[in-house]
Amino acid sequence: MTGELAFPSGFLWGAATAAYQIEGATAEDGRGPSIWDVFAAVPGAVEGGASGATACDHYRRYREDVDLLSTLGMPTYRFSTAWPRIMPDGRTPNPAGLAFYDRLVDALLDRDITPVLTLYHWDLPQALQERGGWVERDIALWFAEYAGTVHTRLGDRVKHWTTLNEPFCSAFLGYGNGVHAPGVKNPRTALRAAHHHLLAHGQAAQALRAGGATSLSIALNFSPALADDPADHDAVRRFDAVHNRFFLDPVLGRGYPADLRADLAHLDGLEPAIRDGDLDVIAEPLDWIGVNYYAPTRVVSLADPTEPSNCPLPGLRGMSVLPPRAPLTVTGWEQHPASLTDLLVHLSEYTRTPLVVAENGAAFPDVVDEGGRVRDDDRVRYFAEHLRAVHAAIEAGADVRGYLAWSLLDNFEWAWGYGPRFGLVHVDFACQRRIVKDSGWFFAEVAARNAVPAEGHPVTPGRRADR
Ligand code: FCB
């Protein structure tokens, strides 16, 4: 139909969540504490002193939430399993924890929703943190054991597996600048933790393959670096190396980029962590790559290449990050859909691997109106623009197989607590009432039509919002 941009047939539509952000029930049925439970209890660590103790109460309300997915006609759902629920001490399986995901997967399959399972979305068992967490090399073995346990239980019904979500955040924010759990502030340690994330990914991928997995991936968060002046190309290179290629190149079997190794040499954190054979383990071939995209980063070079950056990524020097440009979201992220097109086109060529946008979305100041409707026009527009950007990438030849909106529900947004709302569905955290936002209805319609309105064509929330 004119006026709309159609996606390839078989394109995968869905919504995403993560265990700690929605489940609540942190002490239920034998679940052990995670690093986020402990971190959230530290005064000042999370806005408003919030935690995931209740969150969206999804542990108890998962049937209702699966019904919501079904109402929205979502063919796919990306969720994560909580390691501390499945292995409260990090290593010993808890039957009640496994049983929860068994029920969730069955509920999804009952409604013809394809599960996409992420094994780690930042909620490390505290017991393992006490043994060193991601700084301890043995974590690779512990994670592979856990991956094998979950796969043995659910592999007959779950086809799509993602090892780690955004090791960048979990290593660099968790162990580098300390804004995420476990709150360690040590750039050298962060580099070690990052290597162990990749090693754990590789060992888990091997375990899953050995168990017969045929659809394996990792979800990486990319922030394309933008410079106005071509003379700032070295700032682009430096930022891209530590933010993006640090994680991407090793999983593609290319090892750590030589320029990154040179840039980081002064910290002496990465090299001592690498042992013979590690890079081969990390290079376990993948079937697709999850691309999490929110915003680009504006960069500029510094005259002195050894001057520390204002950006707190481990070892980053010789460049500065500039303020993002309007329009911004509630989290201060620049809205720049063209970067998503460029990123997907570039990654498709660079990886020669199918891509799935595993997260994309935005927080805006939502209001529930008197009629109980959330008219989140900003988010509708955000999704329309970013979906057109994905469509443009596909037109330009990028092999993009799916798009999973972040997020199904408003939820616990890590160190920001319950402030920023990313959901397609509004959650009233006082009473747990769910309301599908206009953006939810809009996204449902996009998924049903397998097409997004072209630019200049009306972007309506979808017929059902008016009911
Ligand atoms: C990503 C995380 C996800 C959510 C979004 C907004 O970095 O993977 O859990 O916090 O950002």
Side-chain angles (χ1 to χ4, degrees), residues 346-358:
H346 162 70
L347 284 179
S348 193
E349 224 163 78
Y350 192 73
T351 67
R352 303 263 162 216
T353 306
L355 308 173
V356 171
V357 177

Side-chain angles (χ1 to χ4, degrees), residues 3 29 33 51 54 57 116 130 136 164 167 169 208 228 277 303 312 326 338 403:
D29 296 334
S51 80
T54 305
D57 196 30
V116 178
E130 277 155 23
E136 168 57 53
L164 303 177
C169 293
L208 295 169
D228 287 331
Y403 178 98

Side-chain angles (χ1 to χ4, degrees), residues 70-131:
S70 177
T71 304
L72 292 173
M74 290 292 109
T76 307
Y77 175 53
R78 174 177 180 236
F79 66 98
S80 77
T81 48
W83 190 347
R85 204 178 280 297
I86 290 175
M87 294 176 154
D89 67 0
R91 302 201 65 191
T92 318
N94 166 29
L98 278 164
F100 170 67
Y101 296 105
D102 222 34
R103 294 195 296 275
L104 173 62
V105 165
D106 285 343
L108 291 166
L109 295 176
D110 273 354
R111 287 160 186 76
D112 288 327
I113 300 167
T114 303
V116 178
L117 188 154
T118 300
L119 285 159
Y120 187 73
H121 202 127
W122 309 352
D123 45 357
L124 186 73
Q126 175 64 17
L128 295 185
Q129 179 55 30
E130 277 155 23
R131 294 166 75 171

Side-chain angles (χ1 to χ4, degrees), residues 300-324:
V300 67
S301 290
L302 293 171
D304 174 0
T306 64
E307 186 181 337
S309 175
N310 62 350
C311 171
L313 297 186
L316 199 53
R317 306 189 298 180
M319 57 79 62
S320 280
V321 164
L322 298 172

